[in-house]
mmCIF file of all heavy atoms in Angstrom:
data_model
loop_
_atom_site.group_PDB
_atom_site.id
_atom_site.type_symbol
_atom_site.label_atom_id
_atom_site.label_comp_id
_atom_site.label_asym_id
_atom_site.label_seq_id
_atom_site.Cartn_x
_atom_site.Cartn_y
_atom_site.Cartn_z
ATOM 1 N N ARG J 4 64.135 -72.954 36.905
ATOM 2 C CA ARG J 4 63.488 -74.069 36.152
ATOM 3 C C ARG J 4 61.956 -73.624 35.961
ATOM 4 O O ARG J 4 61.325 -73.076 36.879
ATOM 5 C CB ARG J 4 63.543 -75.387 36.798
ATOM 6 C CG ARG J 4 64.909 -75.973 36.701
ATOM 7 C CD ARG J 4 65.151 -76.408 35.261
ATOM 8 N NE ARG J 4 66.550 -76.887 35.103
ATOM 9 C CZ ARG J 4 67.013 -77.192 33.911
ATOM 10 N NH1 ARG J 4 66.306 -77.016 32.840
ATOM 11 N NH2 ARG J 4 68.198 -77.690 33.853
ATOM 12 N N SER J 48 62.149 -79.741 18.452
ATOM 13 C CA SER J 48 62.007 -80.720 17.343
ATOM 14 C C SER J 48 63.095 -80.711 16.394
ATOM 15 O O SER J 48 63.636 -81.771 15.985
ATOM 16 C CB SER J 48 60.590 -80.568 16.582
ATOM 17 O OG SER J 48 60.639 -79.208 16.017
ATOM 18 N N LEU J 55 65.306 -73.360 24.544
ATOM 19 C CA LEU J 55 65.298 -72.055 24.069
ATOM 20 C C LEU J 55 66.398 -71.129 24.740
ATOM 21 O O LEU J 55 67.124 -70.420 24.066
ATOM 22 C CB LEU J 55 63.969 -71.343 24.323
ATOM 23 C CG LEU J 55 63.744 -69.916 23.965
ATOM 24 C CD1 LEU J 55 63.957 -69.618 22.467
ATOM 25 C CD2 LEU J 55 62.463 -69.349 24.475
ATOM 26 N N ALA J 58 69.979 -71.753 23.414
ATOM 27 C CA ALA J 58 70.079 -71.870 21.969
ATOM 28 C C ALA J 58 71.338 -70.960 21.464
ATOM 29 O O ALA J 58 71.638 -69.973 22.059
ATOM 30 C CB ALA J 58 68.803 -71.325 21.299
ATOM 31 N N LEU J 84 62.001 -62.838 15.189
ATOM 32 C CA LEU J 84 63.336 -62.483 15.628
ATOM 33 C C LEU J 84 63.415 -61.285 16.549
ATOM 34 O O LEU J 84 64.210 -61.177 17.528
ATOM 35 C CB LEU J 84 64.189 -62.137 14.293
ATOM 36 C CG LEU J 84 65.631 -61.696 14.573
ATOM 37 C CD1 LEU J 84 66.388 -62.787 15.343
ATOM 38 C CD2 LEU J 84 66.224 -61.380 13.263
ATOM 39 N N ARG J 92 68.450 -60.313 25.155
ATOM 40 C CA ARG J 92 69.084 -59.174 25.717
ATOM 41 C C ARG J 92 68.745 -59.076 27.292
ATOM 42 O O ARG J 92 69.562 -58.823 28.082
ATOM 43 C CB ARG J 92 68.593 -57.855 25.125
ATOM 44 C CG ARG J 92 69.320 -57.520 23.903
ATOM 45 C CD ARG J 92 69.226 -56.000 23.539
ATOM 46 N NE ARG J 92 67.846 -55.682 23.255
ATOM 47 C CZ ARG J 92 67.343 -55.599 22.027
ATOM 48 N NH1 ARG J 92 68.041 -55.904 20.970
ATOM 49 N NH2 ARG J 92 66.133 -55.272 21.861
ATOM 50 N N THR J 105 71.551 -63.579 19.185
ATOM 51 C CA THR J 105 70.873 -62.904 18.095
ATOM 52 C C THR J 105 71.643 -61.859 17.412
ATOM 53 O O THR J 105 71.202 -61.359 16.466
ATOM 54 C CB THR J 105 69.522 -62.384 18.577
ATOM 55 O OG1 THR J 105 69.794 -61.287 19.479
ATOM 56 C CG2 THR J 105 68.639 -63.477 19.237
ATOM 57 N N LEU J 130 34.189 -51.493 -17.913
ATOM 58 C CA LEU J 130 33.934 -50.717 -19.209
ATOM 59 C C LEU J 130 32.517 -50.806 -19.735
ATOM 60 O O LEU J 130 31.953 -49.717 -20.119
ATOM 61 C CB LEU J 130 34.822 -51.427 -20.324
ATOM 62 C CG LEU J 130 36.373 -51.145 -20.227
ATOM 63 C CD1 LEU J 130 37.181 -52.058 -21.089
ATOM 64 C CD2 LEU J 130 36.613 -49.649 -20.657
ATOM 65 N N PHE J 175 48.933 -43.939 -31.710
ATOM 66 C CA PHE J 175 49.892 -43.875 -30.567
ATOM 67 C C PHE J 175 49.705 -42.650 -29.628
ATOM 68 O O PHE J 175 49.103 -41.699 -30.123
ATOM 69 C CB PHE J 175 51.309 -43.808 -31.121
ATOM 70 C CG PHE J 175 51.675 -44.983 -32.036
ATOM 71 C CD1 PHE J 175 51.547 -44.907 -33.418
ATOM 72 C CD2 PHE J 175 52.225 -46.138 -31.476
ATOM 73 C CE1 PHE J 175 51.895 -45.928 -34.330
ATOM 74 C CE2 PHE J 175 52.546 -47.212 -32.288
ATOM 75 C CZ PHE J 175 52.405 -47.143 -33.625
ATOM 76 N N VAL J 204 32.840 -34.226 -27.321
ATOM 77 C CA VAL J 204 32.168 -33.668 -26.163
ATOM 78 C C VAL J 204 33.121 -32.990 -25.290
ATOM 79 O O VAL J 204 32.764 -32.412 -24.230
ATOM 80 C CB VAL J 204 31.362 -34.792 -25.331
ATOM 81 C CG1 VAL J 204 30.348 -35.424 -26.172
ATOM 82 C CG2 VAL J 204 32.322 -35.710 -24.735
ATOM 83 N N HIS J 211 34.573 -22.147 -20.300
ATOM 84 C CA HIS J 211 33.440 -21.448 -20.905
ATOM 85 C C HIS J 211 33.504 -21.791 -22.464
ATOM 86 O O HIS J 211 34.450 -22.375 -22.958
ATOM 87 C CB HIS J 211 33.392 -19.970 -20.616
ATOM 88 C CG HIS J 211 34.727 -19.166 -20.937
ATOM 89 N ND1 HIS J 211 35.191 -18.956 -22.223
ATOM 90 C CD2 HIS J 211 35.764 -18.911 -20.036
ATOM 91 C CE1 HIS J 211 36.332 -18.320 -22.086
ATOM 92 N NE2 HIS J 211 36.752 -18.332 -20.805
ATOM 93 N N TYR J 218 45.157 -29.193 -22.731
ATOM 94 C CA TYR J 218 45.062 -30.506 -22.123
ATOM 95 C C TYR J 218 43.942 -31.332 -22.834
ATOM 96 O O TYR J 218 42.889 -30.852 -23.274
ATOM 97 C CB TYR J 218 44.698 -30.501 -20.643
ATOM 98 C CG TYR J 218 45.806 -29.779 -19.838
ATOM 99 C CD1 TYR J 218 45.609 -28.552 -19.310
ATOM 100 C CD2 TYR J 218 47.057 -30.411 -19.707
ATOM 101 C CE1 TYR J 218 46.514 -27.872 -18.490
ATOM 102 C CE2 TYR J 218 47.988 -29.825 -18.905
ATOM 103 C CZ TYR J 218 47.795 -28.505 -18.355
ATOM 104 O OH TYR J 218 48.787 -27.925 -17.652
ATOM 105 N N ARG J 249 35.382 -51.143 -3.937
ATOM 106 C CA ARG J 249 36.065 -49.811 -4.277
ATOM 107 C C ARG J 249 37.626 -50.030 -4.092
ATOM 108 O O ARG J 249 38.382 -49.533 -4.904
ATOM 109 C CB ARG J 249 35.640 -48.735 -3.295
ATOM 110 C CG ARG J 249 34.345 -48.159 -3.702
ATOM 111 C CD ARG J 249 34.086 -46.861 -2.857
ATOM 112 N NE ARG J 249 32.874 -46.175 -3.331
ATOM 113 C CZ ARG J 249 32.571 -45.003 -2.962
ATOM 114 N NH1 ARG J 249 33.369 -44.343 -2.101
ATOM 115 N NH2 ARG J 249 31.382 -44.434 -3.361
ATOM 116 N N LEU J 257 44.513 -50.492 -12.495
ATOM 117 C CA LEU J 257 44.305 -50.615 -13.973
ATOM 118 C C LEU J 257 45.720 -50.760 -14.701
ATOM 119 O O LEU J 257 45.860 -51.466 -15.652
ATOM 120 C CB LEU J 257 43.515 -49.577 -14.510
ATOM 121 C CG LEU J 257 41.992 -49.681 -14.190
ATOM 122 C CD1 LEU J 257 41.208 -48.391 -14.597
ATOM 123 C CD2 LEU J 257 41.369 -50.890 -14.962
ATOM 124 N N ALA J 270 53.100 -61.213 -24.207
ATOM 125 C CA ALA J 270 54.001 -60.084 -24.448
ATOM 126 C C ALA J 270 55.351 -60.357 -23.778
ATOM 127 O O ALA J 270 55.376 -60.967 -22.701
ATOM 128 C CB ALA J 270 53.340 -58.783 -23.978
ATOM 129 N N ILE J 284 64.331 -52.819 -15.474
ATOM 130 C CA ILE J 284 63.352 -53.987 -15.789
ATOM 131 C C ILE J 284 63.046 -54.735 -14.553
ATOM 132 O O ILE J 284 62.048 -55.407 -14.506
ATOM 133 C CB ILE J 284 64.050 -54.892 -16.955
ATOM 134 C CG1 ILE J 284 62.914 -55.777 -17.509
ATOM 135 C CG2 ILE J 284 65.218 -55.698 -16.278
ATOM 136 C CD1 ILE J 284 63.374 -56.518 -18.744
#
Side-chain angles (χ1 to χ4, degrees):
R4 287 288 175 188
S48 61
L55 173 63
L84 178 58
R92 279 202 296 266
T105 66
L130 286 166
F175 300 94
V204 301
H211 47 82
Y218 297 109
R249 281 189 176 193
L257 285 167
I284 199 167

